[in-house]
Every structure is written in structure tokens, then in C-alpha cells.
Amino acid sequence: MQVFVAAVEGAVWNARRAEQWRAEVEGLQEAMKTRAAIEQAKGMLMVLHGISAERAFEVLVEQSQTRNIRVAAIAAEVVDTLTKQ
């Protein structure tokens, strides 16, 4: 009976760990996507306004705080708006 309990405990632990890894991978993938949009928006703002990368990021953060929208969403709007012109 103890062998069966140990096997079940091991299976449950493995399933939990696999779920944690899956969630972590998904989080990293999402972070990579948002990072790319933010970097692209920063570059566009740098060229458009002749500002540094640090200042471009500050502009995105300021807009994020003013509008209460995530920085990644602001960045996506910037990219979308400037690529449609």
C-alpha cells in the first residue's frame, strides 16, 4: 500500500511541476512578445522626436500611467499608428 501511495504522490508532484513549467514558458513567451513591441515603439519615438532610448521609454510609461493602460498596449498603439501613416 505504501508503494502505491508513494507512486501516486510522485505522479501528482510531477504533474504539478509540469504545469508550473508550462505556465513559466507561456509567461516568458508573452514577455518576449511585449518586449519586442516596446522596443519597436521606443525606436520609432526616438527617430520621430530625436530622443534617447531612456526618454522614449519614459514617454511610454508616462502614457501608460496617464491612461491606466499597460506599457505593452501603449507600445502596440504607437507601432500601429506610426506604421499606418
Side-chain angles (χ1 to χ4, degrees), residues 10 31 39 42 45 49 51 55 67:
E39 292 300 319
K42 280 174 43 181
L45 291 173
H49 298 293
I51 57 178
R55 180 63 190 133
R67 297 175 54 197

Side-chain angles (χ1 to χ4, degrees), residues 11-24:
V12 169
W13 185 86
N14 285 338
R16 286 183 182 160
R17 192 72 183 134
E19 177 60 24
Q20 289 172 341
W21 288 337
R22 185 196 59 74
E24 187 172 332

Side-chain angles (χ1 to χ4, degrees), residues 55 57-71 74 77:
R55 180 63 190 133
F57 186 70
E58 289 172 2
V59 169
L60 293 173
V61 170
E62 289 167 5
Q63 284 296 306
S64 170
Q65 292 173 346
T66 299
R67 297 175 54 197
N68 197 27
I69 300 174
R70 295 178 59 219
V71 171
I74 297 292
E77 286 182 9

